[in-house]
Amino acid sequence: MWAYTLRRIALGIVVLLGLTLVTFLIARVVPSDPAARWMGPRATAEQIGAARVKLGLDKPLYVQYLRYMADMARGDLGTSIRTHQPVRKDLAAMLPATVELVVVGMVLAVLVGIPLGVLSAMFRDSPMDHLGRVVSVTSVSLPTFWLAMILQLVFFKSLGILPLADRVDSIIKLTYPLRPGTGFYLLDSLLQGNWPFFHSTLAHLMLPAVTLAAYPAGLVARMIRSSMLEVYQEDYIRLGRAFGFSESLITFRYALRNALAPALTVIALTFAYSLGSTFLVEAVFNWPGMGKYAADAVTTADYPAIMGVTIFIAALYVALNILVDIAQAVLDPRVQLS
Amino acid sequence: MAEPQRLPLLEIRNLSLEFATPLGPVYALNLGGLDLYPGEVLGLVGESGSGKSLTASTVLGLLPSRRARVTSGQVLFDGRDLLRATPAELQHIRGRDISMIFQDPMAALNPVFPVGEPLLRILRLHRGLRPAEARHEALRILDEVQIPDPAAILRRYPHELSGGQRQRIMIAMAIAGGPRLLVADEPTTALDVTVQEQVIRLLQALQRAHGTAVLFITHNMGVVARLADRVAVMYGGDVVEVAPVAELFSAPRHPYSRLLLDAIPRVSARRERLPAIGGEVPDLRRRPVGCAFAPRCPLVTARCLSERPSLSAAGAGQVACFHPLAAGDSRTEALA
Amino acid sequence: MTTTEVDDRGGGGRTDQGGRPGQGSRTDRPSEAQDQATRRGSLFWVWHVLRQNPLTALGAAMVLGLVLAALLAPWLAPFPGDGGVDVHPKSQLLAPSLEHPFGTDELGRDLFSRVVYGARISLFTGSLVIGLALLIGIPLGAAAGYLGGFVDEVIMRFVDIVLSFPPLLLATALAAMLGSSLVNAMIAVAVAWWPWYARIMRGQAVALRERGYVEAARAGGVGTLRILTRHIIANSLPPLIVQASMDFGSVILTSASLSFLGLGAQPPQPEWGLLISTGRTFFLTNWWYVTFPGLAILVTAVAFNLVGDGLREYLDPRLRSV
């Protein structure tokens, strides 16, 4: 199994290298001048020229690329043109907000999606099944940014029970400040016993997380339903019934175990898809995460930041795929890791 | 071996089963009657599509599709109609009083669990054994079905075992609950010939040791000849003949039985054309009228086409035919 | 095989088989209707599938409605000019009413009319994007699967690279680079989408190249290109069609997202995502502005997803309710 894992990782690295090359070339195509942006709008031509040399932009393209790759091997992702900070530092600062959001969202999605799918399959073609299918189709068809705004309208404007945007209430941030910790506000405030902060964070997480969870929940429910229906046709399910095992045992132990494996791939893919939705969610809720960072990077043609974010997301995606393959092998002993 | 005054363990009466399809109903089963006595091995033979596997599934109440419907009839086990039993009652009976051996053990064993799992579960559910006792008993049963190194096998997954081993495990599961009736649905069909031999011998030994009644479904006449006490021949969803095995093979009464036996390839000195049964398999979309075999029967009469024959006594068995063959007719005489 | 027309209740000595609701004196032959039914082609089955799956039928009806709305926009919209450049400064930001079922926007334009015209853009976008993605993906996938070896490796690595990115982010990046217009957004989404079809096509090509008729064609000297088009691609259509129909909804969502971000359609086009984006400025006080265009996107995506689901069940016999 380790041989397989190493091979997958090697393959992933090859893909990532290709991606860096592609992104690097594309970033160079962007018409604006990075050096000018680095110096700001009031720079003189000389200053811009000097900046160009300093940033290594005068060298030929392939040299720039090789230098970049060498730096990356050392863990240096360059310096952001917009923030003048190392990209790595920027990412580390922005990451926890996004991770917290995505994790909470995905957990919600799985907690809702799996039972929905199982129940739909168990009571196939019943009114409940139809309702479940309508719900899951709808949630897969929702425009993320629209759902965000509707939730804001309902829960903020009409009901007034949840906040509009941001990660935590700004007043709470000042009056009950959080000491620096992991960057995961939920975790930190819990560990520090900072209850007002915790409550505020939780309240602010609700709408964005639900928005994020809608699509994956629907997808998971659909996948689990169709996976379960396929499994129900199998002979070993008939055998379970033939030997008088209870329906709930057959569904939740025999069938679900087999149904989860193929659904797992899709679940992981929706996790990756939700990285895209995160982008939109962060935009609407003004969430200070990677999505916002990426958006700013794109609009300011901040190519080191663009590269950094790109590589990071792609690496995450590739790692996720590898994890899924390994998990499948664990769940299904038939999988030959070849 | 079947004495007239013994009460049958299993009685099937007037069983009609249909499949609802978009093109109309398919009349898959029209079983007049079938009896199985305690401790006997009843072979159920017929072509593909004759309804033998369907009969087996219906006994256990395990209809193969949501579109299958029993429209009439009774399946009496120990006098109790299984078709009208509640799901709870059925659950109680399955695995305990009646159990089943499936045709394809690779498909019937859950691939993500070790093969010991369902076996242990049966022992704990149907024999009320505690985990340690169940394990002990499981090892004993695996021994009885001649599985070497049972302790290791319990932990193995289905794909790690050979076909023969898997089938033995299925047999082990089937006898674990101590059933009085074993429904074996073509248990040797998916195995290669050498393994078939072992499994047949195993089944024989087990049946004698436990006195279990066996409903043995197969299309292999050779296997039937060795294992069965009595044989029931099915065609077009109905039983056309029932007879003690020796009698069926030496003097079949129904024309179809005769043709079926004649169609078995024999190694002989004379080279003959292999006799085939002319005509086609019945179209089950038709409502049953007259004898199901009539269109293909060389001895068909007008009555055969309009009236449906029911089983009536003939010798030591029964036959459903208006003109059964007399014992002792040679083929050419009978079917000229 | 001779048959006679006989009352089916006959049968000497047979106990009554009861239980069947009165079916009178039907003959024992399969009825003419039944015989014809077996000969009936796909139309019968389509009708049957629709009957069995009310949800699919609903989706099909919705798609039909959308197409009609798009085609008949000039007659359906009460203020056809508002789909374009008309402005009515006196009717700014009116709440929904009988005259303006969806309210009006900041330039006084009737939102219902704009949404109806937006249907044209969405359907057009979806079709074009998927068509383009298929156009790129099918040849590449077929070549990779059929030719194998180095070509396969190169193409598939390229596919992996493109797929190593969430599609929305990829499309966003591309659209940002190409410049903000509807056409560029369509191209961007198509470029993000073609790898899925290439993968499916490749899988099919690999499976089909071993088939008997392909080998026969090769042995008969048929050229590679002809083999690819006539045999391989032609026989791979079902999974591609299923995937394409399931993707239609996602493509529309992605395009709308791009427009929302300002990277797609530009004003005054009544594209739904753009409407929501513009409406965002006012939405807390004028709820109708974002609600109705969003509902339109939702309804469209639901419709195509339902149809896509139905198609998938239809083409995969294991999932049918048998």
Side-chain angles (χ1 to χ4, degrees):
Chain A
M1 179 160 118
W2 296 116
Y4 174 74
T5 312
L6 285 175
R7 265 197 58 214
R8 284 300 311 268
I9 294 179
L11 202 63
I13 292 180
V14 166
V15 168
L16 283 178
L17 283 176
L19 185 64
T20 57
L21 186 61
V22 169
T23 321
F24 183 84
L25 292 172
I26 290 178
R28 286 292 179 277
V29 167
V30 172
S32 63
D33 182 1
R37 293 199 167 273
W38 173 273
M39 292 310 298
R42 275 190 279 249
T44 66
E46 282 164 5
Q47 288 171 318
I48 295 178
R52 190 171 289 125
V53 172
K54 177 172 165 224
L55 292 174
L57 291 170
D58 53 330
K59 301 276 193 321
L61 263 183
Y62 71 88
V63 173
Q64 292 188 41
Y65 180 67
L66 288 173
R67 271 182 60 182
Y68 186 82
M69 295 308 291
D71 287 340
M72 193 167 80
R74 283 199 322 257
D76 176 10
L77 285 170
T79 310
S80 162
I81 290 177
R82 183 175 60 91
T83 66
H84 292 228
Q85 297 290 320
V87 171
R88 199 177 55 183
K89 190 155 163 238
D90 280 345
L91 284 179
M94 295 295 183
L95 196 56
T98 302
V99 169
E100 203 171 32
L101 179 59
V102 171
V103 166
V104 173
M106 284 307 295
V107 166
L108 268 178
V110 166
L111 283 181
V112 167
I114 292 186
L116 199 63
V118 170
L119 286 176
S120 244
M122 264 180 94
F123 300 106
R124 180 191 189 153
D125 284 348
S126 71
M128 182 168 88
D129 179 22
H130 284 268
L131 186 66
R133 288 177 71 187
V134 167
V135 166
S136 52
V137 164
T138 308
S139 55
V140 164
S141 315
L142 288 165
T144 314
F145 50 92
W146 179 76
L147 178 65
M149 287 194 256
I150 296 292
L151 287 177
Q152 283 174 327
L153 272 177
V154 171
F155 288 95
F156 174 73
K157 181 86 198 304
S158 300
L159 298 176
I161 54 178
L162 286 175
L164 179 69
D166 296 316
R167 221 178 151 192
V168 72
D169 188 272
S170 36
I171 306 210
I172 302 259
K173 218 170 174 181
L174 291 172
T175 51
Y176 293 90
L178 193 70
R179 291 192 305 277
T182 61
F184 299 107
Y185 285 7
L186 276 182
L187 203 59
D188 288 342
S189 53
L190 208 59
L191 290 175
Q192 295 172 22
N194 189 340
W195 299 119
F197 203 94
F198 182 77
H199 284 137
S200 180
T201 305
L202 202 58
H204 283 260
L205 256 178
M206 280 291 96
L207 292 184
V210 168
T211 308
L212 200 58
Y215 180 88
L219 205 63
V220 166
R222 271 145 66 99
M223 263 313 295
I224 294 276
R225 178 183 183 273
S226 77
S227 202
M228 288 283 289
L229 288 181
E230 278 193 36
V231 167
Y232 271 151
Q233 310 276 24
E234 296 287 339
D235 262 354
Y236 51 81
I237 298 291
R238 264 188 97 212
L239 183 138
R241 293 204 180 108
F243 282 100
F245 297 163
S246 69
E247 230 8 75
S248 60
L249 177 85
I250 288 178
T251 299
F252 292 105
R253 194 166 151 84
Y254 279 17
L256 192 56
R257 269 290 296 270
N258 281 280
L260 273 179
L264 205 64
T265 329
V266 177
I267 293 177
L269 286 179
T270 65
F271 188 85
Y273 181 93
S274 69
L275 290 178
S277 315
T278 312
F279 192 57
L280 293 167
V281 169
E282 289 189 5
V284 175
F285 286 103
N286 203 31
W287 197 264
M290 298 251 307
K292 191 153 185 307
Y293 186 70
D296 291 339
V298 167
T299 48
T300 58
D302 184 353
Y303 73 88
I306 296 176
M307 293 282 296
V309 168
T310 307
I311 291 165
F312 182 78
I313 293 180
L316 196 66
Y317 196 6
V318 166
L320 208 66
N321 274 305
I322 295 179
L323 278 175
V324 162
D325 280 352
I326 295 181
Q328 264 191 325
V330 165
L331 273 185
D332 185 351
R334 283 174 301 177
V335 169
Q336 309 284 1
L337 295 178
S338 55
Chain B
M1 211 153 171
E3 293 142 18
Q5 56 265 39
R6 257 199 325 172
L7 285 177
L9 182 62
L10 183 73
E11 285 177 76
I12 303 181
R13 293 272 168 275
N14 295 324
L15 184 64
S16 293
L17 187 145
E18 305 179 356
F19 285 95
T21 71
L23 297 172
V26 172
Y27 307 97
L29 275 187
N30 288 286
L31 245 181
L34 189 65
D35 290 339
L36 180 74
Y37 292 92
E40 80 165 338
V41 179
L42 178 66
L44 192 57
V45 302
E47 311 171 340
S48 304
S50 55
K52 39 191 211 302
S53 284
L54 207 48
T55 307
S57 307
T58 313
V59 165
L60 270 167
L62 287 179
L63 297 178
S65 134
R66 280 140 35 96
R67 303 211 165 203
R69 261 180 41 242
V70 173
T71 49
S72 70
Q74 297 175 306
V75 174
L76 299 172
F77 180 74
D78 248 2
R80 213 162 67 182
D81 188 358
L82 295 180
L83 294 177
R84 278 151 193 85
T86 64
E89 290 169 347
L90 273 180
Q91 249 180 29
H92 189 85
I93 293 177
R94 289 178 188 153
R96 190 184 273 121
D97 297 309
I98 308 181
S99 64
M100 189 156 173
I101 301 177
F102 286 77
Q103 177 176 335
D104 183 1
M106 186 67 220
L109 290 170
N110 197 326
V112 304
F113 289 104
V115 295
E117 199 271 348
L119 181 58
L120 291 168
R121 188 171 297 278
I122 293 171
L123 288 171
R124 292 181 51 194
L125 180 66
H126 291 303
R127 304 243 314 254
L129 297 178
R130 286 198 298 271
E133 294 172 330
R135 199 189 134 80
H136 190 81
E137 179 67 4
L139 292 174
R140 188 196 69 76
I141 295 181
L142 286 182
D143 214 30
E144 198 178 340
V145 298
Q146 296 160 14
I147 288 215
D149 198 4
I153 295 287
L154 272 182
R155 283 196 308 266
R156 295 248 186 284
Y157 290 90
H159 66 277
E160 294 174 325
L161 303 177
S162 73
Q165 284 172 322
R166 287 195 285 261
Q167 195 56 294
R168 286 169 204 276
I169 304 246
M170 296 272 325
I171 296 174
M173 293 201 296
I175 61 174
R180 286 184 291 151
L181 170 62
L182 201 62
V183 177
D185 188 357
E186 309 221 34
T188 53
T189 306
L191 306 171
D192 26 296
V193 183
T194 45
V195 180
Q196 271 190 30
E197 182 58 29
Q198 296 166 5
V199 168
I200 292 173
R201 289 220 194 109
L202 176 64
L203 284 172
Q204 268 178 330
L206 288 173
Q207 196 269 329
R208 285 193 198 122
H210 295 270
T212 322
V214 178
L215 180 63
F216 195 96
I217 290 133
T218 181
H219 57 261
N220 185 330
M221 300 300 281
V223 172
V224 160
R226 290 178 57 187
L227 274 180
D229 299 319
R230 289 190 310 144
V231 181
V233 180
M234 280 190 78
Y235 183 82
D238 195 2
V239 173
V240 296
E241 182 169 358
V242 185
V245 61
E247 207 175 289
L248 182 78
F249 276 81
S250 61
R253 289 198 158 75
H254 197 281
Y256 175 65
S257 316
R258 180 89 227 202
L259 289 169
L260 200 60
L261 288 168
D262 286 343
I264 299 174
R266 278 181 188 75
V267 178
S268 68
R270 279 172 44 216
R271 276 194 291 174
E272 304 169 346
R273 263 189 84 165
L274 192 66
I277 308 178
E280 298 170 354
V281 210
D283 180 359
L284 294 175
R285 288 173 309 162
R286 300 166 49 159
R287 303 269 289 311
V289 167
C291 172
F293 188 60
R296 301 168 78 178
C297 183
L299 304 175
V300 62
T301 67
R303 190 182 178 205
C304 302
L305 292 169
S306 56
E307 270 182 63
R308 193 181 180 86
S310 52
L311 284 172
S312 45
Q318 300 166 298
V319 66
C321 184
F322 293 126
H323 44 72
L325 306 169
D329 285 347
S330 77
R331 178 180 191 254
T332 36
E333 284 171 15
L335 301 170
Chain C
M1 201 199 297
T2 57
T3 57
T4 47
E5 310 214 354
V6 169
D7 178 24
D8 73 332
R9 291 233 197 86
R14 207 26 146 189
T15 46
D16 184 45
Q17 291 189 5
R20 269 196 281 269
Q23 276 158 346
S25 54
R26 279 235 306 254
T27 70
D28 66 317
R29 316 176 59 223
S31 65
E32 285 296 310
Q34 280 182 317
D35 255 356
Q36 252 181 352
T38 31
R39 283 194 282 273
R40 241 174 263 175
S42 20
L43 206 59
F44 170 78
W45 287 104
V46 167
W47 176 77
H48 174 71
V49 166
L50 286 181
R51 220 177 66 149
Q52 284 290 333
N53 290 298
L55 288 179
T56 312
L58 181 66
M62 284 163 75
V63 168
L64 200 63
L66 282 165
V67 170
L68 283 175
L71 288 174
L72 302 174
W75 296 278
L76 199 59
F79 296 83
D82 287 6
V85 289
D86 284 5
V87 294
H88 310 281
K90 293 211 184 81
S91 320
Q92 284 176 343
L93 293 176
L94 295 176
S97 61
L98 276 178
E99 200 195 348
H100 299 282
F102 287 179
T104 63
D105 69 2
E106 77 282 10
L107 293 178
R109 294 177 289 199
D110 176 43
L111 276 175
F112 180 72
S113 306
R114 285 179 71 72
V115 166
V116 168
Y117 271 91
R120 291 188 161 185
I121 300 181
S122 294
L123 292 180
F124 179 66
T125 305
S127 316
L128 202 77
V129 166
I130 291 197
L132 200 58
L134 286 172
L135 211 61
I136 305 175
I138 290 183
L140 284 177
Y146 187 72
L147 299 172
F150 185 65
V151 173
D152 189 10
E153 279 298 316
V154 165
I155 294 183
M156 280 304 118
R157 286 314 127 235
F158 192 45
V159 164
D160 282 343
I161 289 177
V162 179
L163 286 181
S164 70
F165 227 64
L168 178 65
L169 297 186
L170 187 61
T172 307
L174 286 171
M177 282 174 350
L178 290 171
S180 307
S181 82
L182 189 58
V183 172
N184 287 342
M186 286 197 240
I187 296 177
V189 179
V191 169
W193 234 266
W194 70 262
W196 304 102
Y197 301 127
R199 261 209 188 146
I200 295 176
M201 186 64 234
R202 178 196 179 267
Q204 291 288 309
V206 167
L208 290 180
R209 72 180 175 199
E210 307 301 326
R211 290 278 169 86
Y213 54 85
V214 173
E215 285 206 38
R218 264 208 301 263
V222 181
T224 308
L225 192 62
R226 211 173 132 85
I227 292 183
L228 277 175
T229 47
R230 257 188 83 82
H231 297 294
I232 307 250
I233 294 180
N235 284 305
S236 307
L237 288 181
L240 285 170
I241 293 178
V242 169
Q243 189 64 37
S245 56
M246 296 203 307
D247 280 346
F248 209 93
S250 309
V251 163
I252 290 183
L253 283 174
T254 310
S255 313
S257 305
L258 285 179
S259 300
F260 175 76
L261 293 168
L263 295 170
Q266 298 297 310
Q269 286 174 306
E271 206 269 353
W272 293 333
L274 184 60
L275 288 175
I276 298 181
S277 168
T278 332
R280 188 170 169 218
T281 330
F282 319 98
F283 89 106
L284 281 176
T285 43
N286 305 279
W287 61 271
W288 57 89
Y289 204 146
V290 302
T291 305
F292 292 109
L295 270 178
I297 301 178
L298 176 61
V299 164
T300 309
V302 165
F304 281 101
N305 279 331
L306 283 177
V307 170
D309 270 0
L311 264 177
R312 194 183 45 164
E313 277 201 25
Y314 170 65
L315 289 172
D316 182 350
R318 292 174 300 170
L319 289 181
R320 294 196 200 142
S321 338
V322 191

